[in-house]
Amino acid sequence: PADWTELDKRAVDTARVLAADAVQKVGNGHPGTAMSLAPAAYTLFQRTMRHDPADPDWPGRDRFVLSCGHSSLTLYVQLYLSGYGLTLDDLKALRTWGSLTPGHPEYRHTKGVEITTGPLGQGLASAVGMAMAARRERGLFDPEAAPGQSPFDHHIYVIASDGDIEEGVTSEASSIAGHQQLGNLVLIYDDNQISIEDDTAIALSEDVAKRYEAYGWHVQTVFGGENVAGLTAALDAAKAETGKPSIIVLRTIIGFPAPTKQNTGKIHGSALGAEEVGKVKEILGFDPEQDFQVDDDVLSHAREVVKRGEAAKAEWLKGFDAWAAANPERKALFDRLTRRELPEGWAAKLPSWPVDAKGVATRKASGDTLSAIGEVLPELWGGSADLAESNNTTIKGADSFGPASTATKEWKATPYGRTLHFGIREHAMGSILNGIALHGPTLPYGGTFLVFSDYMRPAVRLASIMSLPVTYVWTHDSIGLGEDGPTHQPIEHLAALRAIPGVAVLRPADANETAAAWKATLEKRSGPVGLALTRQNVPTLEGTDAEGVAKGGYVLAEAEGGEAKVVLIATGSEVQIAVAARKILQDAGVPARVVSMPCVEWFDQQEQSYRDQVIPPAVKARVVVEAGIAQPWHRFAGDAGEIVSIEHFGASADYQTLYREFGLTDDAVVAAAQRSIARVEGNK
Amino acid sequence: PADWTELDKRAVDTARVLAADAVQKVGNGHPGTAMSLAPAAYTLFQRTMRHDPADPDWPGRDRFVLSCGHSSLTLYVQLYLSGYGLTLDDLKALRTWGSLTPGHPEYRHTKGVEITTGPLGQGLASAVGMAMAARRERGLFDPEAAPGQSPFDHHIYVIASDGDIEEGVTSEASSIAGHQQLGNLVLIYDDNQISIEDDTAIALSEDVAKRYEAYGWHVQTVFGGENVAGLTAALDAAKAETGKPSIIVLRTIIGFPAPTKQNTGKIHGSALGAEEVGKVKEILGFDPEQDFQVDDDVLSHAREVVKRGEAAKAEWLKGFDAWAAANPERKALFDRLTRRELPEGWAAKLPSWPVDAKGVATRKASGDTLSAIGEVLPELWGGSADLAESNNTTIKGADSFGPASTATKEWKATPYGRTLHFGIREHAMGSILNGIALHGPTLPYGGTFLVFSDYMRPAVRLASIMSLPVTYVWTHDSIGLGEDGPTHQPIEHLAALRAIPGVAVLRPADANETAAAWKATLEKRSGPVGLALTRQNVPTLEGTDAEGVAKGGYVLAEAEGGEAKVVLIATGSEVQIAVAARKILQDAGVPARVVSMPCVEWFDQQEQSYRDQVIPPAVKARVVVEAGIAQPWHRFAGDAGEIVSIEHFGASADYQTLYREFGLTDDAVVAAAQRSIARVEGNK
């Protein structure tokens, strides 16, 4: 561009040298892309994006997503140059214990990092969620403003790599972005045609630009990573296109200008070696003897972005204050959401159900709960991966989120709507939910069948790594779904999801526990929660308790006629089986306690004294019953205990037959209890 | 078509009526697509495909994949009409316990079902694998034959739905199919624009035809599900296109001709109701009072396909016999592979390593093993999702599988090559491996980092449901990968994969256990096996044992100076820690045994007596050590035992620091052993 100075050029070259030096120092890492993307990243941080390094949480900021997280230096160096607090010493500590510069960017760990990236495709897919969240935010607070005139207007910028482009989650999310006409989303695709197996021609032949046209994106191509003028013009055109997401295919040479290693797979993921680093410095006019060289005038030039950011924010504040003055109620809502608080008295809206043997499916109770609280919690929004009616994810009366042109006979769509339609794209749903939660200030949820949590698992893991308040509505949570058979019946999924550190799996026993599950989920807001809900009706039980649900487990039915001789532990639809078994045992003179354990993770967080109260260490006779594998339950059952579980895939039949044939019955629980009691007595 | 008779029309309408009746009888299911796809499915089974209902295993047959498995009736009705053994009673037993007609088609359960489908996208992605396997098969046995002239030439036909098209795994696999120029793959995309949330316009706006053009496919569009002439011409054109995979976008009306429910989301997944079923019958000229009406002349007309199949097979046999006579060695190989046998003496090729404290990474040992046995096992082939060098998945000297035009500086590609390049598409890799294994007779493997097993999990689950001999090379199997940090460090993955019924997770302790792991995997061939391999070097240990590996667990180091007071159980890279801890304990006068447990699933399959021999029930002091969550180990540790595990996400640093900071050390194991021993003694 015309105003591109020698100092700008030198700053870009400094970024390249720092990347080479940092990887060389630690001995491993990804220098190549950080070198070739330096002009693009510098352009974004210095010229294109509206941001204030002094206030990384400014709600009016543009967001930056580095989808190719392995190129973390691309981001770290710009955070350093633009004054986010990272120092040269931090860059020197790259990829070492306790540093602010881990191998991949980590949200909440390093200021200015908007999202944890690394697993390919996730950043780009979550950026689609951020763009959706930005539109929803505008709709909540300032829907009448003319385009571009609201303090809630901003952009989401993404840099993505060949790997991102190849991942399926990207395809799903990119299709959704085109469908949603997300004009606030700008993607730079670093088309360097090199990945770890070297020239991508060995695995990638598709016409990426045409593919994105097919998704309905605005497509531009810029030749040359050093072509800053071309990139700047393309970024301007992308911003000018408000009706479509934009992709800029930026043809770069990885590792430029390393004389022997540029344009090879080696420079993607290994240090350059001292000699090559020296040559890079020579080529760029740096002292080959000096490491981490940053000229003072370069740094002060780059740091001028702090002043520009301050000014931009001050300008923005005028508009924001005017909006606040004109919209006191919306401002109050904005403040409440920013404080991450729920409105006073909201819980009074939660429905409750009378004790009832016929009962109701917990998925239905979840849907009723959502519709009941939806009115007082405008921040809550979500939908399903094409299973709205099965997942009961639609808040009654809510419009669908989408351009009016996407409306159908069944769904009224508006750009600021509340009901999300992900299509049959569970993985993108997961990543988009992450993006919405990251963007703030709304609270998203998304539904599919529990078995298809497998499709979204990488996104769930990232939600947990980032402790995001995302809620999954996973219905059809066992063989209880019946006729659809083994491909649709979760067996290992409760265990496999509990296995992810930080994910709370909530499996309510009945309608009232379901409402309590939503209550606790919204109040804790500590990380991702997966609700595992039944397809089939379950009785509404006596004794279920909202506080007990929040504690993860509690005594649902106490032993009678003496201290408990056996503790029956169950979750979800199997609690009714435990209750029925308890009756048989009690009738036979065996005092038996039933513990409902909707959330193992929350139970584990309670004081030892509470846990011992619920499952007394002295009562070693125990039975756990859950329609899934036993793996998570051995530590509760103990050596003397029994687990009534399913250790094989399901089958296609009505669910009553399956429960009977697979031995998930009250009789089986009674027999297991007797075996366990006998074992304990034999040990005495 | 010109030769389309009234009987053909009646047969198609019979298929529609049977679909409506079958769902109506059981009360749930998916009638809509089975009705509207009846003409296409009938055309494939009666006219397009080369198949012999009397011999569903005929290696020369075309394969049929119903990717939209929920429309299982589309397949069941054709299997019935064409004489695969399904009866009208089987159709009446749809979706009931023990029937041959479960909710979704199940491989090995119903004759003529080539693949279990249901989870969307999987069928189409696996069909890409089948098409690749067909080309590799041809390359192994008959590479010199002119195109279309080999007994190993056949086609893979797929029917897929809107849901399949939306799933990311489809995008990945379709891109690979275009890249691979799979002219033997023909996809009919049932573009009915209805899914469960009704009109797909609410979630799907992309230009699917253009997207497939971008992937390099041959694209045709046919309007009207009843347009058999158009479809037939398109199928002919698709077969004529030998250099590209073909997609036929077939614009149908779901549920045609149901008068009130066609073209709605309701008819996708619910029974039509008696009245609507009656009307369908009236419209089609069937008796509304009669259920499951099949006219004798219709059935015998349809069953003529048996004779045509017999003739086709006889004709094919001539070519096959001529090939066999001319290629005795290849025929011998073909016979061996068909018998699923390994060649005599193959195991002598397995490498071995001397005891060595410095040791070697198990990923490296795996690569050496593959290269060593590759020569004698031409059936073994595979590759990586862009991590070939990291996963060590390349068999030395093997060409890459791909059109010559895809060759690069690093890789020589030939259409019949052996090294697979999946690109950064783990999910498609998983599904493609399934397709290769299903097609036969080769044995595929595929590699990525263990943490990214999450990306391919739905395919792994299906491999297990189908008991397919697929091997995953999952390297970088713990925090031992070091600097890449939490997004790349598996913590819960060993547990989560063990959770899937039927998946064997194999985590060898050293190089020799790694060779033994490959040996046992190839010999058992009982279902999917995941090899969890280290990035870092591990010592080559004394006492490792191939038979012990095949048994899943064994005594690696016996207690000395008396009966074991404690049993230390470990897997993979933590076995060395157990061995070091044992030495400390022994030196302190505590007899301690080390059990290496590379495969919990195989250990569980051993006789109780063997298991008790390895972990004596009387020795209650136990420590398990594994660099992952404890969840799978409680049942081995027992009440008195201890587990040295990691219950949180990892961090970015060198691996030695991580092991130390996360407490995975010999000292920690010793301390745990002492606690466990004290507990046992306190209980006495």
Side-chain angles (χ1 to χ4, degrees):
Chain A
D3 57 348
W4 191 258
T5 66
E6 272 307 305
L7 279 174
D8 289 317
K9 185 179 174 312
R10 183 75 174 175
V12 165
D13 290 341
T14 298
R16 295 190 219 265
V17 166
L18 288 176
D21 273 342
V23 174
Q24 186 63 24
K25 179 161 190 296
V26 66
N28 54 69
H30 300 81
T33 315
M35 293 169 68
S36 43
L37 280 180
Y42 182 81
T43 299
L44 285 175
F45 274 80
Q46 291 286 331
R47 293 165 170 253
T48 306
M49 292 201 301
R50 183 172 69 176
H51 65 125
D52 178 6
D55 183 5
D57 297 323
W58 172 24
R61 74 193 183 280
D62 289 335
R63 267 56 163 191
F64 175 70
V65 174
L66 183 74
S67 196
C68 42
H70 56 269
S71 186
S72 54
L73 278 167
T74 296
L75 178 52
Y76 295 150
V77 170
Q78 294 308 323
L79 292 179
Y80 160 65
L81 288 178
S82 50
Y84 271 86
L86 273 193
T87 66
L88 212 49
D89 281 342
D90 292 322
L91 295 182
K92 290 177 187 169
L94 181 75
R95 295 164 71 87
T96 60
W97 178 255
S99 83
L100 287 174
T101 48
H104 293 81
E106 296 180 19
Y107 177 63
R108 292 189 212 271
H109 182 80
T110 310
K111 264 188 206 163
V113 172
E114 299 274 4
I115 174 174
T116 298
T117 50
L120 289 168
Q122 297 297 332
L124 173 45
S126 291
V128 173
M130 291 182 184
M132 290 164 65
R135 192 169 81 203
R136 173 82 183 148
E137 179 187 47
R138 190 190 207 277
L140 275 179
F141 300 121
D142 202 15
E144 301 88 359
Q149 299 304 309
S150 168
F152 298 98
D153 286 328
H154 54 266
H155 282 80
I156 317 296
Y157 293 94
V158 189
I159 294 181
S161 61
D162 291 305
D164 292 297
I165 290 297
E166 290 176 19
E167 289 285 2
V169 65
T170 299
S171 300
E172 296 178 7
S174 298
S175 182
I176 291 174
H179 174 82
Q180 288 288 349
Q181 304 175 10
L182 298 174
N184 54 351
L185 179 65
V186 179
L187 163 63
I188 298 176
Y189 161 38
D190 176 31
D191 180 23
N192 63 36
Q193 300 177 11
I194 291 287
S195 62
I196 292 181
E197 295 187 8
D198 207 74
D199 188 337
T200 56
I202 194 67
L204 181 64
S205 303
E206 66 180 44
D207 182 338
V208 174
K210 185 169 180 175
R211 180 177 141 212
Y212 274 80
E213 280 171 16
Y215 294 141
W217 286 49
H218 174 243
V219 179
Q220 302 176 82
T221 301
V222 174
F223 290 94
E226 326 316 311
N227 180 4
V228 178
L231 178 62
T232 304
L235 285 166
D236 289 344
K239 281 167 81 168
E241 170 58 71
T242 59
K244 290 177 176 182
S246 275
I247 180 173
I248 299 169
V249 179
L250 180 65
R251 185 73 188 86
T252 66
I253 294 169
I254 192 170
F256 179 88
T260 71
K261 294 200 174 165
Q262 64 173 280
N263 205 26
T264 68
K266 297 288 172 214
I267 208 165
H268 169 101
S270 326
L272 274 73
E275 198 184 336
E276 186 92 352
V277 172
K279 285 186 183 152
V280 168
K281 290 177 186 171
E282 278 176 30
I283 290 168
L284 297 175
F286 284 65
D287 177 359
E289 299 302 312
Q290 206 184 325
D291 291 340
F292 295 95
Q293 180 185 346
V294 182
D295 305 344
D296 288 344
D297 56 346
V298 165
L299 190 61
S300 41
H301 176 70
R303 289 277 166 91
E304 282 171 20
V305 73
V306 176
K307 271 183 282 173
R308 293 196 298 274
E310 203 186 328
K313 191 176 156 190
E315 183 61 30
W316 174 88
L317 257 178
K318 288 185 209 160
F320 181 79
D321 288 342
W323 164 83
N327 298 276
E329 272 187 42
R330 286 172 178 167
K331 176 63 164 48
L333 176 62
F334 178 82
D335 289 342
R336 176 172 74 73
L337 299 197
T338 306
R339 288 193 310 268
R340 300 165 60 92
E341 286 177 4
L342 295 167
E344 210 144 322
W346 76 278
K349 293 281 178 184
L350 286 164
S352 69
W353 290 261
V355 171
D356 174 17
K358 182 172 168 264
V360 55
T362 54
R363 62 172 170 146
K364 172 78 167 51
S366 170
D368 291 349
T369 302
L370 279 173
S371 285
I373 62 179
E375 188 191 329
V376 288
L377 298 180
E379 63 266 45
L380 196 61
W381 64 313
S384 165
D386 195 52
L387 289 167
E389 206 179 321
S390 299
N391 299 146
N392 297 78
T393 39
T394 310
I395 293 174
K396 220 173 272 175
D399 288 343
S400 294
F401 179 86
S405 61
T406 65
T408 67
K409 261 186 303 183
E410 296 283 323
W411 304 97
K412 183 186 168 212
T414 67
Y416 299 139
R418 187 174 192 178
T419 305
L420 288 164
H421 300 273
F422 295 99
I424 301 154
R425 306 182 186 101
E426 299 84 4
H427 199 171
M429 175 170 74
S431 311
I432 285 171
L433 295 175
N434 290 351
I436 293 173
L438 283 164
H439 182 281
T442 57
L443 289 176
Y445 62 86
T448 184
F449 289 163
L450 178 59
V451 82
F452 299 133
S453 62
D454 277 353
Y455 274 76
M456 53 193 298
R457 198 168 162 90
V460 175
R461 184 173 210 257
L462 275 168
S464 191
I465 286 183
M466 296 188 275
S467 299
L468 298 179
V470 166
T471 307
Y472 310 110
V473 181
W474 286 321
T475 71
H476 296 59
D477 71 342
S478 75
I479 55 166
L481 70 83
E483 293 83 354
D484 273 341
T487 57
H488 283 54
Q489 289 164 2
I491 296 292
E492 72 277 22
H493 297 78
L494 295 168
L497 290 161
R498 289 180 185 131
I500 305 175
V503 173
V505 177
L506 252 167
R507 192 159 184 255
D510 72 353
N512 289 315
E513 277 202 4
T514 305
W518 270 110
K519 179 171 187 285
T521 297
L522 292 166
E523 286 175 345
K524 290 187 194 234
R525 210 185 283 209
S526 51
V529 172
L531 300 171
L533 304 172
T534 66
R535 175 193 186 210
Q536 73 276 25
N537 281 0
V538 290
T540 307
L541 300 167
E542 206 169 317
T544 50
D545 178 54
E547 272 181 52
V549 170
K551 287 180 175 160
Y554 64 100
V555 179
L556 176 78
E558 190 46 284
E560 285 169 17
E563 296 234 327
K565 282 193 77 171
V566 62
V567 177
L568 311 178
I569 305 168
T571 78
S573 44
E574 286 70 70
V575 173
Q576 61 177 305
I577 296 177
V579 167
R582 175 184 168 279
K583 183 163 186 323
I584 298 172
L585 288 163
Q586 286 284 160
D587 288 352
V590 181
R593 168 187 287 192
V594 173
V595 169
S596 177
M597 182 77 82
C599 185
V600 171
E601 293 78 16
W602 291 351
F603 186 70
D604 284 341
Q605 288 164 13
Q606 304 307 311
E607 302 276 340
Q608 185 70 46
S609 59
Y610 176 77
R611 285 182 280 147
D612 288 350
Q613 204 178 306
V614 176
I615 307 175
V619 184
K620 300 277 184 215
R622 297 173 190 170
V623 181
V624 184
V625 52
E626 184 173 81
I629 64 164
Q631 192 189 70
W633 293 111
H634 292 282
R635 66 189 171 103
F636 292 97
D639 288 357
E642 296 261 338
I643 305 172
V644 178
S645 65
I646 310 177
E647 303 295 328
H648 50 76
F649 292 113
S652 172
D654 66 281
Y655 77 91
Q656 295 91 340
T657 299
L658 294 175
Y659 268 80
R660 191 179 66 241
E661 294 289 336
F662 293 161
L664 283 169
T665 62
D666 44 7
D667 286 346
V669 171
V670 168
Q674 285 161 342
R675 283 196 303 273
S676 184
I677 292 167
R679 198 171 298 133
V680 170
E681 293 186 343
N683 285 347
K684 273 181 188 160
Chain B
D3 57 346
W4 193 257
T5 66
E6 273 306 306
L7 278 173
D8 289 316
K9 187 181 174 310
R10 184 74 175 175
V12 166
D13 290 341
T14 299
R16 297 189 216 267
V17 166
L18 289 176
D21 273 342
V23 175
Q24 186 61 26
K25 179 161 190 297
V26 66
N28 54 68
H30 301 81
T33 315
M35 293 169 69
S36 42
L37 280 180
Y42 181 82
T43 299
L44 285 176
F45 273 80
Q46 292 286 329
R47 292 165 172 250
T48 306
M49 292 201 301
R50 182 171 70 174
H51 64 126
D52 178 5
D55 182 6
D57 297 324
W58 172 25
R61 74 194 183 279
D62 289 334
R63 269 53 164 194
F64 174 71
V65 174
L66 183 75
S67 196
C68 43
H70 56 268
S71 186
S72 55
L73 278 166
T74 296
L75 177 53
Y76 295 150
V77 170
Q78 294 307 324
L79 292 179
Y80 160 66
L81 287 178
S82 49
Y84 273 84
L86 273 192
T87 66
L88 213 49
D89 281 343
D90 292 322
L91 295 181
K92 291 177 187 169
L94 181 75
R95 295 164 70 87
T96 60
W97 177 255
S99 83
L100 287 173
T101 49
H104 294 80
E106 295 180 19
Y107 178 64
R108 293 189 211 269
H109 182 83
T110 310
K111 261 186 208 164
V113 173
E114 300 273 4
I115 174 174
T116 298
T117 50
L120 289 169
Q122 297 297 333
L124 172 46
S126 290
V128 173
M130 292 182 183
M132 289 164 66
R135 193 169 81 201
R136 173 82 184 148
E137 180 186 48
R138 189 190 206 276
L140 275 180
F141 300 121
D142 203 16
E144 301 87 359
Q149 299 304 308
S150 168
F152 297 98
D153 286 328
H154 53 266
H155 282 79
I156 317 296
Y157 293 94
V158 189
I159 294 181
S161 61
D162 291 304
D164 292 296
I165 291 297
E166 290 175 18
E167 289 285 3
V169 65
T170 298
S171 300
E172 295 179 6
S174 298
S175 182
I176 292 175
H179 174 81
Q180 287 289 349
Q181 304 175 11
L182 298 174
N184 55 351
L185 179 64
V186 179
L187 163 62
I188 298 176
Y189 161 37
D190 176 32
D191 179 24
N192 64 37
Q193 299 176 12
I194 290 286
S195 61
I196 292 180
E197 294 187 9
D198 208 74
D199 188 337
T200 55
I202 194 67
L204 180 65
S205 303
E206 66 179 46
D207 181 338
V208 174
K210 186 170 180 175
R211 179 176 142 213
Y212 273 80
E213 280 170 16
Y215 294 142
W217 287 49
H218 175 243
V219 179
Q220 303 176 82
T221 301
V222 174
F223 290 92
E226 327 315 312
N227 179 5
V228 178
L231 178 63
T232 303
L235 284 166
D236 289 345
K239 282 167 79 167
E241 170 59 70
T242 58
K244 290 178 177 183
S246 275
I247 179 172
I248 299 169
V249 180
L250 181 64
R251 185 71 188 87
T252 67
I253 294 168
I254 193 170
F256 178 87
T260 71
K261 294 199 174 167
Q262 65 173 279
N263 206 24
T264 68
K266 298 284 173 217
I267 208 165
H268 170 100
S270 325
L272 276 72
E275 198 184 335
E276 185 92 352
V277 172
K279 283 185 184 154
V280 167
K281 290 177 185 171
E282 276 177 31
I283 289 167
L284 297 175
F286 285 64
D287 177 359
E289 300 301 314
Q290 207 183 325
D291 291 340
F292 294 94
Q293 180 185 343
V294 182
D295 304 345
D296 289 343
D297 55 348
V298 165
L299 191 61
S300 40
H301 176 70
R303 290 276 166 93
E304 281 169 22
V305 73
V306 176
K307 270 183 283 173
R308 292 195 298 275
E310 203 185 330
K313 190 176 156 190
E315 183 61 31
W316 174 88
L317 257 179
K318 285 186 211 161
F320 182 80
D321 289 343
W323 164 82
N327 298 277
E329 270 185 45
R330 287 171 177 167
K331 176 62 163 50
L333 176 62
F334 178 84
D335 288 343
R336 176 172 74 74
L337 300 197
T338 307
R339 288 194 310 268
R340 300 165 59 92
E341 285 176 4
L342 295 167
E344 209 144 324
W346 75 280
K349 293 280 179 186
L350 287 164
S352 69
W353 290 259
V355 171
D356 173 17
K358 184 173 167 264
V360 56
T362 55
R363 62 172 170 146
K364 172 76 168 51
S366 171
D368 291 350
T369 303
L370 280 172
S371 285
I373 62 179
E375 189 191 329
V376 289
L377 299 180
E379 63 266 44
L380 195 61
W381 63 312
S384 165
D386 195 50
L387 289 168
E389 207 180 319
S390 300
N391 299 147
N392 296 77
T393 39
T394 309
I395 293 174
K396 220 173 274 177
D399 287 344
S400 293
F401 179 86
S405 62
T406 65
T408 66
K409 264 186 304 182
E410 296 282 324
W411 304 99
K412 183 186 168 210
T414 66
Y416 300 139
R418 187 174 190 176
T419 304
L420 289 165
H421 301 274
F422 295 100
I424 301 154
R425 306 183 185 100
E426 300 84 3
H427 199 171
M429 175 170 73
S431 311
I432 284 171
L433 294 175
N434 290 351
I436 293 172
L438 284 164
H439 183 282
T442 56
L443 288 176
Y445 63 86
T448 185
F449 289 164
L450 178 59
V451 82
F452 300 133
S453 62
D454 277 353
Y455 274 77
M456 54 194 296
R457 200 170 160 88
V460 175
R461 185 172 210 257
L462 276 167
S464 191
I465 287 183
M466 295 188 275
S467 299
L468 299 180
V470 166
T471 307
Y472 310 110
V473 181
W474 286 321
T475 71
H476 296 59
D477 71 342
S478 75
I479 54 165
L481 71 82
E483 292 83 355
D484 273 342
T487 57
H488 282 54
Q489 290 165 2
I491 295 291
E492 71 278 22
H493 297 78
L494 295 168
L497 290 161
R498 289 181 186 129
I500 305 174
V503 173
V505 177
L506 251 167
R507 192 160 185 255
D510 72 354
N512 289 315
E513 276 201 5
T514 305
W518 269 109
K519 179 170 188 283
T521 297
L522 292 166
E523 286 176 345
K524 290 188 192 228
R525 210 184 282 210
S526 51
V529 172
L531 299 171
L533 304 172
T534 66
R535 175 193 186 212
Q536 73 276 26
N537 281 0
V538 291
T540 306
L541 300 167
E542 206 169 319
T544 50
D545 178 54
E547 270 182 53
V549 170
K551 286 179 175 159
Y554 65 100
V555 179
L556 175 77
E558 189 47 284
E560 286 169 17
E563 296 233 326
K565 281 192 79 170
V566 61
V567 177
L568 312 177
I569 305 168
T571 77
S573 45
E574 285 70 71
V575 173
Q576 59 178 307
I577 297 177
V579 167
R582 174 182 168 279
K583 183 162 183 326
I584 299 172
L585 289 164
Q586 287 284 160
D587 288 351
V590 181
R593 168 187 286 192
V594 173
V595 170
S596 177
M597 182 79 82
C599 185
V600 170
E601 294 77 17
W602 291 352
F603 186 71
D604 284 341
Q605 287 165 13
Q606 306 306 311
E607 302 276 339
Q608 185 69 46
S609 59
Y610 176 76
R611 285 182 281 147
D612 288 350
Q613 205 178 305
V614 176
I615 307 176
V619 185
K620 299 277 184 214
R622 296 174 192 170
V623 181
V624 184
V625 52
E626 185 173 78
I629 64 165
Q631 189 171 277
W633 294 111
H634 292 282
R635 67 190 171 101
F636 291 96
D639 289 357
E642 295 262 338
I643 305 172
V644 178
S645 65
I646 310 177
E647 303 297 327
H648 49 75
F649 291 113
S652 172
D654 66 281
Y655 76 90
Q656 294 92 338
T657 299
L658 294 175
Y659 269 81
R660 191 181 64 242
E661 294 288 337
F662 293 163
L664 284 168
T665 62
D666 43 9
D667 286 346
V669 171
V670 169
Q674 285 160 341
R675 284 196 302 274
S676 185
I677 291 168
R679 198 171 297 131
V680 170
E681 292 184 343
N683 286 346
K684 271 181 188 158

